[in-house]
Amino acid sequence: MKHRNVLIFPALLLAGAASASAATLSVGPGKSYAAPCRAFAAAKSGDIVEITGGVTYSGDVCAIYPSNLTIRGVNGRPKIDAAGKNALGKGTWVIEGSNVTVQNVEMVGARVPDQNGAALRLEGTDFTLRQAFLHDNENGILSNPNTNSSITIEYSEFGHNGYGTGYTHNLYIGNVASLTFRYNYSHDANGGHNLKSRARTNMIAYNRFSSLAPGETGSTAAGKPSYEIDLPNAGSSYIIGNVIEQPAANSNPNMIAYGEEGATNPAQDLYVVNNTFLNDYTGGGTFVLMGSGVTRGALLQNNIFSGVGTVTNQSAAVQKTNYRATSVAFVDRAHYDLHPVSNVLIINAASAPGYAASGVPLNPGAEYRHVASGVSRPVVGVLDIGAYEATAP
């Protein structure tokens, strides 16, 4: 096979120059900057802002303009509490720069007069969030539409975000090029969705979507979410290896919605593969709700559908080697150990998922591990149905 000649040396030299000129700005008690926003104002493209953990930065709200910026908590997780303040009428940190990474922060209390405030408001191109905890904001993340932008969110927790009207959510991703959402825990959205995305391509893999019982308290208060996952404009969407639970107390009896607001994205291909669905709502509902404008059949393969309700309302959907029951035996359902036990219809019973029409592999390569992490999927013999392999072959 012949290969094209690629000029890599100028790019390497530029990368080296950028790295050499990058500065690390330290934030916290006794550091160069007392609060993060002061460091952001001084930062240049390519810089690193390190925020001392174990400290609450109250009322520290601002727009962040530099691109290629890395913001990270160190020596613990810093807490950013909006404390009644907002930047630009939009939220706590308004990310105007492009290619910004935020890591290891806790953000709480984003509120604005129009009730649409976000802990992170994304207005630049390309963004990464990892190892964060966003809770009790009107929106955890709210992104502007930008079809040149790719957003990656991983190893993070979102809980009890939403004003309560159903129009604000744990996450609300606008019409961007792509969303990669993996190894996250999104739960207890306050009236809205645990994840809403209008992205043209969505890779949603190895996450847990669940909520507490009314009155129960975990890392946040209990919420009554609407959809667990809402992809209102369709798109190329891959939902692989997730735990997706509908709580008994909810704001909508359906779990995944696809194309419900109009299938306006360029593609209409949905792949729902090797997930474990738990419907705790005894009134029914639909596990995978398809909008009437979606003309292409979804692929539902190797999923466990536990609880009452309709698997899907789409007659054209391809349903392959799923397991459907009102009650399924797991190692410890009450504590979310969802490895299957003693069921020959689940263990070694999956079919090979293969590849999507786009060439994306559909085989699950990992399993969600609580809290907001993951491990490689230990397949022995034939793949099992659901999000987890059995504890023993």
Side-chain angles (χ1 to χ4, degrees):
M1 179 182 295
K2 294 183 178 180
H3 299 276
R4 293 181 300 163
N5 292 323
V6 180
L7 299 176
I8 60 173
F9 291 102
L12 290 175
L13 290 172
L14 286 172
S19 176
S21 63
T24 298
L25 288 68
S26 297
V27 176
K31 304 295 184 180
S32 300
Y33 300 91
C37 286
R38 295 184 184 182
F40 302 152
K44 303 292 189 293
S45 178
D47 284 352
I48 299 169
V49 177
E50 293 189 336
I51 307 170
T52 300
V55 177
T56 297
Y57 301 89
S58 185
D60 193 55
V61 302
C62 57
I64 300 173
Y65 292 99
S67 294
N68 307 307
L69 194 66
T70 298
I71 301 164
R72 63 192 181 204
V74 294
N75 300 318
R77 180 179 279 170
K79 183 176 182 178
I80 314 301
D81 187 346
K85 297 183 179 180
N86 70 80
L88 309 181
K90 297 178 179 180
T92 304
W93 290 351
V94 182
I95 312 293
E96 300 284 358
S98 295
N99 194 33
V100 172
T101 296
V102 175
Q103 181 171 339
N104 192 35
V105 299
E106 178 181 356
M107 302 186 73
V108 62
R111 292 174 178 81
V112 301
D114 69 2
Q115 304 171 359
N116 200 34
L120 291 168
R121 178 69 178 260
L122 309 184
E123 300 197 338
T125 299
D126 297 338
F127 176 78
T128 298
L129 178 74
R130 60 173 61 98
Q131 297 170 327
F133 180 24
L134 275 56
H135 63 98
D136 296 288
N137 304 282
E138 289 174 340
N139 291 281
I141 291 180
L142 177 58
S143 86
N144 281 11
N146 180 348
T147 55
N148 293 314
S149 184
S150 295
I151 295 173
T152 298
I153 300 167
E154 57 189 9
Y155 303 104
S156 295
E157 180 179 355
F158 301 84
H160 207 252
N161 299 287
Y163 186 79
T165 59
Y167 296 105
T168 49
H169 314 282
N170 270 352
L171 303 101
Y172 188 171
I173 306 302
N175 186 216
V176 299
S178 68
L179 169 67
T180 299
F181 192 78
R182 59 194 174 199
Y183 307 117
N184 301 297
Y185 176 37
S186 186
H187 61 99
D188 292 290
N190 185 26
H193 308 314
N194 281 329
L195 172 62
K196 181 170 185 171
S197 174
R198 299 184 187 274
R200 295 186 172 195
T201 299
N202 297 280
M203 173 58 73
I204 302 168
Y206 320 124
N207 307 285
R208 174 174 151 184
F209 301 90
S210 68
S211 296
L212 299 164
E216 186 180 1
T217 301
S219 56
T220 70
K224 292 177 63 177
S226 184
Y227 300 133
E228 305 305 313
I229 302 171
D230 184 23
L231 307 175
N233 300 131
S236 295
S237 299
Y238 312 90
I239 301 176
I240 301 173
N242 302 278
V243 174
I244 305 171
E245 178 195 21
Q246 170 85 293
N250 57 72
S251 298
N252 192 300
N254 305 305
M255 300 175 72
I256 291 176
Y258 181 83
E260 271 294 283
E261 296 182 25
T264 56
N265 276 332
Q268 298 183 19
D269 47 328
L270 175 64
Y271 301 88
V272 181
V273 178
N274 275 99
N275 303 281
T276 294
F277 289 83
L278 308 170
N279 190 5
D280 295 336
Y281 177 58
T282 58
T286 303
F287 290 91
V288 181
L289 182 70
M290 305 291 289
S292 59
V294 178
T295 57
R296 182 169 180 173
L299 174 66
L300 313 181
Q301 184 172 354
N302 298 343
N303 302 286
I304 292 175
F305 296 104
S306 177
V308 299
T310 303
V311 169
T312 184
N313 64 324
Q314 189 189 49
S315 59
V318 176
Q319 301 188 47
K320 187 176 182 181
T321 53
N322 300 296
Y323 181 78
R324 179 76 176 90
T326 55
S327 180
V328 177
F330 299 107
V331 171
D332 188 350
R333 166 68 177 83
H335 296 95
Y336 292 93
D337 185 343
L338 301 176
H339 293 84
V341 293
S342 304
N343 193 326
V344 296
L345 299 178
I346 294 176
I347 298 171
N348 294 328
S351 54
Y355 295 84
S358 61
V360 171
L362 301 176
N363 194 68
E367 296 178 343
Y368 174 83
R369 174 175 285 180
H370 207 52
V371 176
S373 188
V375 295
S376 296
R377 184 162 177 146
V379 177
V380 177
V382 178
L383 183 70
D384 294 348
I385 294 173
Y388 294 92
E389 290 293 298
T391 53

